Amino acid sequence: MKLRSLLLMVLMSLLAVHSASAQWDRMTNLPTIYIDTYNGQPITSKTVYVYATLRYIDEQDQMTVYDSLEIRGRGNSTWNMRKKPYKLKFNQKVRFLGPERANAKKWTLLANAGDKSLIRNAVTSAMGEFTSLKFNPGYKFVDLVLNGQYLGNYQISDQIDVRKRRVNVVEQDLPLTDDSDITGGYLLEVDGFQDGNCFTTSNYSVPIRIHYPDEDEIVTSQSRYVRSYMAAFENALRLRAFDDMKTGYRSYVDAPSLIDWFLCTEISANIDGYYSTYFYKDQGDSLLYWGPLWDYDIAYNNDQRITGTVEKLMTDYGYGQTKLWINRMWQDPWFTRTVNERYNELIDNGLVAYLHEKIDSLSDLLQESQSLNYERWGISTKMYHEIVLYSSYDQYVTDLKAFISAHCAWLKGAFEKRQPKNPTPEFETSNYFYRVLNAKSSKAAGVSDTCITQQTNTEENTKEDWWIKKMGDHFIFINRANMLALSDPTEGDVGPTVNIGTRLTTAPEDSLDERQLWDILPQGSSGYYIIRNVYTQHIMNVSNGNTSDGAYIISFTNDSRNTSSTNRLWYFVATREEISEEITGIRDVEPEDYALAYNPTTQELHFGSEQPELLQRFVARVFTADGRAVGSFRADEHFSLQTMPAGIYIVTWQCGGQKRSVKLKR
């Protein structure tokens, strides 16, 4: 009798253990999260947290318990849906999405209630990863059970805040000191809801929310700095010369992130992309960086308030005040050109196929979970502003992929139509250094050892600066760093398609050498030019269309592809740094007749002219800065300063009844 009782007790104990473990089983192939609030308290507020315990059952059925967790509601319109999103706050930092993601207390549980595919936010984050955007919110799908009630498929995602592996800008001193640098970092949002710490800009009436520093930590000096900075940005955007690289709006924006954020917003056709726009500014950095991408569940033609977005630009039809900035930028030929180039680059690199593969992968992963989710919520039940309702999950996935294909095809033509329509003007040089930028890569032609290569356009790099001088009907390019002339050294037979592929180089300036003379020829209405060598008739071209730094600039085929091959198309940006009256290399005197040059390599002075007989008519004299004569030479001869001490010299001469003088430094 005692043995029987003992066996019964053991059996009951085993059943109790099995029952307890079954209570926390995974529901599908995805992890399952069980959240139990203190005393089963309901979550009814977006501001008031409720204490809870969270049990996370991973793919290997291992359970991790997080105690003293806090949970509340989140979102704006999404909080009013039947399937609600939540915000979690742990009592200590956790890597809730694994070792590669942020270590943080705050995380989000997105319901994706208005998105029947459940994956639009995740797909958009993946698109951001395909581009140059630095921070893209993480995503992991789970099944959620709250207080014993199954709520469906949810997405764990980062909270948009400042920290490593999120928006990784410098965190400001708390509290501030007299030596604190308040130039950054800041996390900002154009926020149509105008929640939290918001102000409205004076020029465009754009509502700006300061997310970081936090509302309860930010001080007056920081708020004043942000307001002043945004006012300066908008002032630059309103200037008549707003498109000037140095003084216009571009001096305030990080171009790669601006263009890629804009393209992700338009590719996804997010009607609220300009209603809620995140951007940030780092400490000691004068630029605004755009992103992260956030809140895309109603994108990709998934909101009945604006239908037919397959053939619409959100800058024309979407909501939000950011459009005011972007539509001003559309008036800048640089912006339209760069948008078109970058879009074509992304498409050529396989963006559409990448998004389709991501959609297929995620939808396969979610098959079990989505089935349970729609048993709870209904696959064909309207939750928000869905345009179409289908009877199966796979139909929603197919619809999403079809939209991406059709919209991306349409965008190609839409961006091309935005290109400048006026004919590209004849190139006119001025007394400034220029950057010579490639149409495909937007990188600069610069001196590298003895060759010319493609280089990232860097303001401080004088090897990318060119003094472009008019020489009769042609131009000569003088590099600022070595004061030598751009030259095509092709040997042997020459002609538009003969002996191509020679690497361009620089050589001591000689205006009579046709290898150093170039024609700058406008191409259609693109704003681009080809640069053709007078001697070889070849076109300046990036080798193999390479977009990487260090690619050689070569002498290449001159044919019917000149107007379409971006490898050989160029545009010019003046540095706005005027060339000094003092010459350290070459300096025009009378470009229509003759020019005086100083070659720092040979340390010789000489004149050049297309009329050699003119140079036989006058003599130049050389003086030290204090007026002592050191020599003279006829204009068709060379004069060496090799034996002269370093210093300032004055060269004087008289020609055509006019006395001239030039100062130079040896």
Side-chain angles (χ1 to χ4, degrees):
M1 185 68 179
K2 291 182 179 180
L3 180 61
R4 183 178 178 182
S5 298
L6 181 61
L7 289 173
L8 183 60
M9 290 174 62
V10 170
L11 178 61
M12 292 295 291
S13 176
L14 290 172
L15 288 172
V17 169
H18 174 75
S19 176
S21 64
Q23 183 180 357
W24 315 117
D25 284 346
R26 267 191 309 138
M27 304 188 70
T28 70
N29 59 303
L30 300 180
T32 299
I33 289 179
Y34 292 89
I35 297 177
D36 293 288
T37 62
Y38 181 69
N39 287 336
Q41 186 176 350
I43 302 165
T44 59
S45 170
K46 294 195 302 176
T47 57
V48 179
Y49 280 101
V50 174
Y51 281 102
T53 298
L54 183 150
R55 293 174 174 83
Y56 181 87
I57 316 299
D58 68 17
E59 293 90 339
Q60 286 74 44
D61 295 316
Q62 298 298 309
M63 182 168 69
T64 304
V65 180
Y66 301 93
D67 206 356
S68 300
L69 179 88
E70 294 179 84
I71 182 171
R72 64 169 174 81
R74 66 166 307 280
N76 290 299
S77 55
T78 53
W79 178 244
N80 297 319
M81 299 182 195
R82 289 178 294 125
K83 183 186 178 188
K84 299 184 181 300
Y86 299 99
K87 182 174 181 179
L88 305 176
K89 185 166 72 172
F90 293 82
N91 63 352
Q92 59 185 6
K93 293 179 180 179
V94 295
R95 296 193 184 276
F96 206 38
L97 283 179
E100 300 304 315
R101 304 302 301 191
N103 187 28
K105 292 183 178 181
K106 295 179 181 179
W107 297 85
T108 61
L109 283 173
L110 302 181
N112 294 313
D115 171 18
K116 290 294 195 293
S117 77
L118 301 169
I119 59 176
R120 279 174 164 83
N121 276 313
V123 168
T124 304
S125 188
M127 176 163 56
E129 292 170 358
F130 192 87
T131 71
S132 68
L133 297 179
K134 293 182 179 179
F135 170 69
N136 300 285
Y139 51 89
K140 187 175 185 66
F141 290 93
V142 298
D143 296 301
L144 177 63
V145 178
L146 178 61
N147 288 333
Q149 182 181 22
Y150 171 68
L151 294 189
N153 176 275
Y154 275 72
Q155 175 185 332
I156 304 172
S157 188
D158 289 284
Q159 172 76 12
I160 304 299
D161 63 8
V162 169
R163 67 181 57 254
K164 188 177 180 181
R165 295 192 175 94
R166 286 188 174 170
V167 179
N168 191 18
V169 296
V170 173
E171 296 186 41
Q172 297 201 38
D173 297 338
L174 182 67
L176 291 181
T177 68
D178 292 341
D179 298 324
S180 294
D181 184 349
I182 63 169
T183 62
Y186 295 97
L187 174 60
L188 309 172
E189 179 192 8
V190 175
D191 183 4
F193 290 104
Q194 300 189 44
D195 287 341
N197 183 16
C198 259
F199 68 92
T200 302
T201 63
S202 55
N203 283 311
Y204 286 91
S205 298
V206 177
I208 305 293
R209 179 177 179 182
I210 304 175
H211 282 274
Y212 179 84
D214 296 335
E215 187 173 5
D216 57 351
E217 296 175 350
I218 194 168
V219 298
T220 302
S221 61
Q222 293 168 319
S223 296
R224 189 183 300 118
Y225 177 85
V226 173
R227 288 171 180 260
S228 176
Y229 181 88
M230 294 309 301
F233 163 68
E234 287 196 336
N235 286 338
L237 198 58
R238 288 176 64 93
L239 289 173
R240 177 175 295 180
F242 78 104
D243 56 348
D244 186 285
M245 186 175 71
K246 291 290 188 182
T247 61
Y249 75 96
R250 274 192 280 161
S251 63
Y252 287 88
V253 300
D254 171 67
S257 65
L258 168 66
I259 299 299
D260 281 349
W261 160 81
F262 168 77
L263 287 174
C264 288
T265 301
E266 290 295 345
I267 291 167
S268 64
N270 185 5
I271 68 173
D272 280 348
Y274 305 122
Y275 192 80
S276 173
T277 301
Y278 280 93
F279 51 102
Y280 52 94
K281 183 185 181 300
D282 210 346
Q283 192 173 90
D285 191 331
S286 63
L287 303 179
L288 289 174
Y289 292 79
W290 300 74
L293 302 171
W294 184 251
D295 201 9
Y296 280 70
D297 56 325
I298 63 170
Y300 305 93
N301 205 41
N302 189 39
D303 193 308
Q304 66 184 10
R305 291 175 295 169
I306 301 178
T307 59
T309 55
V310 168
E311 297 187 354
K312 288 178 180 174
L313 286 172
M314 294 303 97
T315 47
D316 296 332
Y317 293 93
Y319 301 111
Q321 296 296 89
T322 312
K323 285 198 313 181
L324 299 177
W325 294 343
I326 300 301
N327 284 329
R328 176 61 166 161
M329 295 176 191
W330 267 132
Q331 300 171 31
D332 177 6
W334 169 85
F335 184 81
T336 59
R337 181 175 60 241
T338 308
V339 163
N340 189 57
E341 291 166 359
R342 178 58 171 159
Y343 180 74
N344 288 328
E345 181 182 18
L346 292 174
I347 295 300
D348 291 345
N349 288 343
L351 175 62
V352 173
Y354 170 83
L355 294 178
H356 282 193
E357 291 169 4
K358 187 64 65 174
I359 291 168
D360 288 340
S361 174
L362 288 171
S363 61
D364 287 346
L365 178 69
L366 266 57
Q367 282 298 323
E368 290 183 35
S369 183
Q370 65 82 16
S371 181
L372 276 182
N373 182 81
Y374 290 119
E375 284 181 22
R376 174 74 171 82
W377 300 109
I379 190 71
S380 58
T381 302
K382 201 173 189 67
M383 183 68 77
Y384 187 49
H385 290 312
E386 299 96 316
I387 293 175
V388 293
L389 294 173
Y390 294 115
S391 58
S392 74
Y393 177 73
D394 289 345
Q395 287 175 294
Y396 289 107
V397 172
T398 299
D399 185 79
L400 174 58
K401 291 170 65 177
F403 172 82
I404 290 173
S405 294
H407 187 51
C408 285
W410 180 84
L411 281 175
K412 183 175 179 64
F415 291 147
E416 286 175 352
K417 289 178 182 177
R418 293 276 179 150
Q419 297 302 291
K421 296 300 185 294
N422 297 326
T424 303
E426 295 290 331
F427 179 77
E428 293 185 7
T429 189
S430 58
N431 197 37
Y432 294 95
F433 292 107
Y434 285 86
R435 294 294 169 97
V436 184
L437 303 171
N438 181 253
K440 182 174 184 178
S441 65
S442 295
K443 293 186 176 181
V447 172
S448 178
D449 295 326
T450 60
C451 295
I452 307 301
T453 62
Q454 176 175 255
Q455 304 169 12
T456 297
N457 185 9
T458 306
E459 184 175 350
E460 297 79 15
N461 188 1
T462 59
K463 293 181 179 181
E464 299 171 358
D465 290 345
W466 297 91
W467 179 17
I468 304 177
K469 301 193 301 175
K470 191 80 163 113
M471 285 291 174
D473 294 331
H474 311 296
F475 294 90
I476 191 166
F477 291 68
I478 307 302
N479 187 265
R480 184 178 185 180
N482 66 11
M483 298 309 297
L484 300 178
L486 179 67
S487 178
D488 182 346
T490 301
E491 297 291 342
D493 295 337
V494 293
T497 61
V498 179
N499 233 340
I500 60 172
T502 302
R503 295 173 183 174
L504 299 185
T505 185
T506 55
E509 188 267 349
D510 184 349
S511 60
L512 300 180
D513 183 358
E514 289 188 339
R515 296 174 184 274
Q516 299 180 17
L517 298 179
W518 302 83
D519 296 321
I520 302 175
L521 305 175
Q523 299 298 300
S525 60
S526 64
Y528 298 134
Y529 301 81
I530 59 169
I531 303 174
R532 182 181 66 191
N533 187 260
V534 170
Y535 176 75
T536 63
Q537 292 297 295
H538 294 169
I539 303 298
M540 182 170 161
N541 184 91
V542 180
S543 179
N544 296 319
N546 198 322
T547 58
S548 302
D549 283 2
Y552 290 108
I553 310 297
I554 62 174
S555 170
F556 201 65
T557 302
N558 173 7
D559 59 18
S560 60
R561 294 190 62 219
N562 288 346
T563 60
S564 59
S565 176
T566 52
N567 306 341
R568 63 181 84 169
L569 291 172
W570 304 85
Y571 60 102
F572 301 88
V573 176
T575 64
R576 297 303 175 193
E577 183 173 348
E578 190 165 4
I579 298 168
S580 170
E581 287 301 319
E582 179 179 294
I583 64 169
T584 56
I586 303 170
R587 177 70 185 171
D588 275 344
V589 180
E590 288 290 339
E592 69 275 15
D593 295 323
Y594 59 89
L596 172 65
Y598 173 63
N599 186 330
T601 302
T602 63
Q603 299 181 37
E604 289 183 329
L605 284 163
H606 71 280
F607 286 87
S609 175
E610 293 184 350
Q611 306 172 50
E613 66 279 3
L614 177 66
L615 302 182
Q616 299 173 5
R617 301 176 187 171
F618 64 94
V619 173
R621 292 176 172 79
V622 184
F623 300 85
T624 61
D626 59 5
R628 180 173 56 86
V630 294
S632 63
F633 63 103
R634 200 170 71 177
D636 60 349
E637 299 173 336
H638 287 230
F639 181 82
S640 177
L641 291 174
Q642 265 190 330
T643 60
M644 306 294 178
I648 303 297
Y649 292 86
I650 311 297
V651 183
T652 67
W653 67 94
Q654 186 167 322
C655 180
Q658 292 184 308
K659 188 173 182 180
R660 306 285 187 182
S661 65
V662 169
K663 179 172 65 174
L664 67 93
K665 180 189 293 184
R666 178 194 174 283

